[in-house]
Amino acid sequence: AMTPEGLQQVQPPPYQTIALAGKFDVQQISGLQLATETIAVAQFDWDVSLNKIGQLVTGRNTAQGRGAVEFGKKPDGTWFVTGVSGI
């Protein structure tokens, strides 16, 4: 049985149950490149400070890695994230 605190960290479905396992932090974005006039790509370093659920699953207190992000350009000239991978 989970504690009330643990149950608060589990998101109810509509599609699947997700356990919030820690705090995700993007450390640095690098390699920003314009792929086309409306698509840009970059890489980023990340780390996670794991909570008790994350520590139980991984056996660690933290996790680090490198991911990629893709941006799209709106007609008004602003940019938005269209995809993230590597996390």
Side-chain angles (χ1 to χ4, degrees):
M2 292 187 74
T3 66
E5 294 81 15
L7 287 172
Q8 289 178 351
Q9 296 184 43
V10 177
Q11 298 295 314
Y15 306 107
Q16 63 186 11
T17 300
I18 299 171
L20 303 177
K23 181 183 175 192
F24 181 82
D25 246 343
V26 173
Q27 297 299 313
Q28 180 177 348
I29 295 178
S30 62
L32 181 61
Q33 296 180 351
L34 193 59
T36 69
E37 287 185 26
T38 59
I39 297 173
V41 294
Q43 294 77 45
F44 60 93
D45 296 320
W46 58 265
D47 66 54
V48 175
S49 299
L50 297 168
N51 61 22
K52 290 184 182 197
I53 291 174
Q55 292 169 10
L56 181 65
V57 171
T58 66
R60 302 183 309 190
N61 292 330
T62 62
Q64 299 83 30
R66 188 156 177 82
V69 61
E70 183 175 296
F71 302 95
K73 189 175 184 180
K74 295 180 183 178
D76 68 4
T78 60
W79 292 85
F80 64 101
V81 174
T82 61
V84 177
S85 62
I87 55 172

